[in-house]
Amino acid sequence: QVHLEESGGGLVQAGASLRLSCTASGRTFSRYAMGWFRMAPGQEREFVGFITWNGQFTYYIDSVKGRFTISRDNAKNTVYLQMSSLKPEDTAVYYCAARLTITPAQAAGVPRLPNEYDYWGRGTQVTVSS
């Protein structure tokens, strides 16, 4: 069982930066690849990006590529989402999610769908004003 808790959300102006953190409970954090998702009002949950268990590979959707950076510190059981040049359309509740990656099949590809993740945080609100 893994408990995830996001923090760092807030209200910022367009163009600002914000860093979200997601801290996991348990001793097996390094077994999990981590994803970030977001959900804007009236919209479905959207995949934002992903980082492998060892931090060696990251993937981002086109709309955040070059502005968002995902990193992790396995010693601190924490994954980060650094967001810069924020836009009003980035306004959403941001969620982190964990995907167990032990077998080669589990580690293959980029999991973009919510049902490909095993554990979720409750989310943190990010609001970007114009």
Side-chain angles (χ1 to χ4, degrees), residues 37-58:
F37 289 74
R38 64 186 179 185
M39 189 160 62
Q43 298 187 19
E44 294 186 351
R45 194 167 298 195
E46 177 188 36
F47 172 73
V48 174
F50 160 85
I51 187 167
T52 52
W53 66 273
N54 56 6
Q56 290 187 353
F57 176 77
T58 54

Side-chain angles (χ1 to χ4, degrees), residues 2 9 17 26 28-29 32 39-40 48-49 77 80-81 85 104-105 111-112 128:
V2 175
S17 297
T28 59
F29 180 66
Y32 292 84
M39 189 160 62
V48 174
N77 280 13
Y80 304 97
L81 179 63
S85 302
R112 298 176 178 84
V128 185

Side-chain angles (χ1 to χ4, degrees), residues 65-77:
K65 201 174 294 182
R67 299 189 300 121
F68 289 15
T69 302
I70 300 174
S71 61
R72 66 189 294 162
D73 185 340
N74 286 347
K76 296 182 178 180
N77 280 13

Side-chain angles (χ1 to χ4, degrees), residues 59-103:
Y59 178 90
Y60 307 92
I61 57 173
D62 287 345
S63 61
V64 307
K65 201 174 294 182
R67 299 189 300 121
F68 289 15
T69 302
I70 300 174
S71 61
R72 66 189 294 162
D73 185 340
N74 286 347
K76 296 182 178 180
N77 280 13
T78 302
V79 63
Y80 304 97
L81 179 63
Q82 178 69 49
M83 305 183 292
S84 60
S85 302
L86 282 162
K87 305 175 181 180
E89 50 264 43
D90 294 318
T91 294
V93 177
Y94 283 73
Y95 300 87
C96 64
R99 171 181 168 87
L100 185 64
T101 50
I102 295 179
T103 67

